[in-house]
Structures are given as C-alpha cells and as structure tokens.
Amino acid sequence: MFTGIIEEQGEVLAWEPSADAARITVRAPLAASDARHGDSIAVSGVCLTVIDQGPDWFTADVMAESIAQTTLALIAPGSRVNLERAAAVDSRLGGHIVQGHVDATSHVVSVTPGERWSVVRVALPAELEALVTRKGSIAIDGISLTVSAVSDAGEASPWFEVSLIPETLSATTLGAAAPGTPVNLESDILARHVERLLAVESLRSKVQA
C-alpha cells in the first residue's frame, strides 16, 4: 500500500520488452537505498516488485497487463517517473490509500498557471466518472491529489481538475505536464467499494422483485 506522497523522481535507465512482459531499471537513489528483493515500489502509480537492486538503482518486471493498462508502455531510457516506496506501518498517512493498481489511463487537457500554483485539467474516462467528486481523492501518476473541480454529469467530454502547489510542481512529473501528456489514474478505493455495494444491492433488489 502507498499514500501517494512522491518521494523522488527517478530516471529510467533501461526498458527491455519481451514477448509478454518487460523489465525496467530505474535510477532511484532514495528508493533504492533500502530496497530489498521482493519490495514494492510505485512507479508513476504502478506497483512493481523489486527483483534486483544496487546502491542507486532497482530493476522490476512489468506484466503484460500492466503494460497494456498503464502509460508504462510509453516510457524509454531517460524518462522521468514518480517513485514511492511502500508505506511503513508506523508512518503518517499523508495522502490517501493508494494501491498502485491503475484503473485507467487518460491525458492532460489543459494547464492554467497561477501565481503560486497551477490548475491541471484531466480528461475523465467514462468508467471513472461516478467515482470522482469535488474534494475527493484521486491518484495521478501515483500522486495523491484532491479534486478541485469536476464536470457536470452527462457532459459530452467529462473532466476533472486538481490544483498543484509549488511542492507538487517541483517534486513530481506533473510539473512538466502539458496538454496531451498521458497519465495513469487510480480512483479512491473507498469510492470503488461503495460503487460495488450499490451494484450488488441493485442486483439483489431486481432478483427479489
């Protein structure tokens, strides 16, 4: 489990695809400093397992499903990625519960810079529309963020916005985001559970009717 508080930006050193998977190596001085075989590290919001590591790098295998469902397929050596080690049980939950299981990919629609922060608008995939609400939590490329605005239900091109403070702009890859930038989205696990409960209750009601 993660909290969505990015610890550092890493640099992809190698991306080695195979028939049904890939292997990624990332330069990550902080994340690799105490990494061990089998540890989980979130790479731009995707939970990966360390299979090898050195003083300032780690390597992980990426399943075909992760490649197909996330933006990892678009990275190459030199790409910057957001990194977070798994949360320790004795640490503060500074963001929200992030699993590292990407729900959908999307893209940045617009970036509106302000004096002290930027407002980023992201296209909202139809399958996540019911799970995103104003003042709710969402993870973009593994970053725990609060939704500051969301489009009205039924709008032809749904979107949501987040407001990025200077710390987020400097510490994460969103600081360099521009319209068209692809992103990984993970909705709030609590919202997903509520959606499932409502779906099950609706089905039971129809069966009993």
Side-chain angles (χ1 to χ4, degrees):
M1 188 188 79
F2 307 92
T3 69
I5 304 300
I6 303 304
E7 296 184 291
E8 67 176 330
Q9 290 187 53
E11 178 188 359
V12 176
L13 298 177
W15 175 260
E16 305 167 55
S18 60
D20 61 352
R23 180 163 289 183
I24 185 174
T25 299
V26 181
R27 178 180 288 118
L30 178 60
S33 64
D34 61 354
R36 295 179 297 177
H37 186 89
D39 282 356
S40 294
I41 297 177
V43 178
S44 287
V46 184
C47 180
L48 299 179
T49 301
V50 175
I51 61 167
D52 195 9
Q53 73 281 338
D56 66 349
W57 58 270
F58 71 89
T59 297
D61 285 329
V62 187
M63 299 184 300
E65 175 72 7
S66 296
I67 297 171
Q69 299 298 323
T70 74
T71 62
L72 287 186
L74 304 176
I75 66 174
S79 295
R80 306 291 292 178
V81 289
N82 296 320
L83 300 175
E84 181 190 357
R85 294 170 292 182
V89 294
D90 61 346
S91 64
R92 292 184 175 88
L93 186 64
H96 72 283
I97 297 173
V98 176
Q99 296 180 298
H101 302 160
V102 173
D103 292 316
T105 59
S106 186
H107 65 275
V108 173
V109 174
S110 64
V111 178
T112 305
E115 184 178 351
R116 294 287 295 167
W117 60 79
S118 290
V119 176
V120 177
R121 177 173 291 191
V122 178
L124 180 56
E127 63 268 32
L128 300 186
E129 194 170 0
L131 303 176
V132 178
T133 184
R134 182 172 176 270
K135 296 187 179 181
S137 296
I138 193 164
I140 302 178
D141 281 350
I143 309 162
S144 174
L145 297 166
T146 299
V147 176
S148 56
V150 65
S151 57
D152 294 331
E155 191 166 316
S157 300
W159 53 266
F160 70 92
E161 291 180 344
V162 292
S163 297
L164 307 183
I165 62 174
E167 173 65 18
T168 305
L169 292 170
S170 64
T172 75
T173 57
L174 277 185
T181 298
V183 292
N184 293 317
L185 300 180
E186 180 183 335
S187 59
D188 186 355
I189 181 62
L190 299 179
R192 296 204 300 274
H193 277 304
V194 170
E195 182 184 50
R196 176 62 177 168
L197 286 170
L198 291 174
V200 170
E201 287 302 316
S202 176
L203 179 61
R204 286 175 177 170
S205 297
K206 290 178 181 178
V207 171
Q208 294 172 358

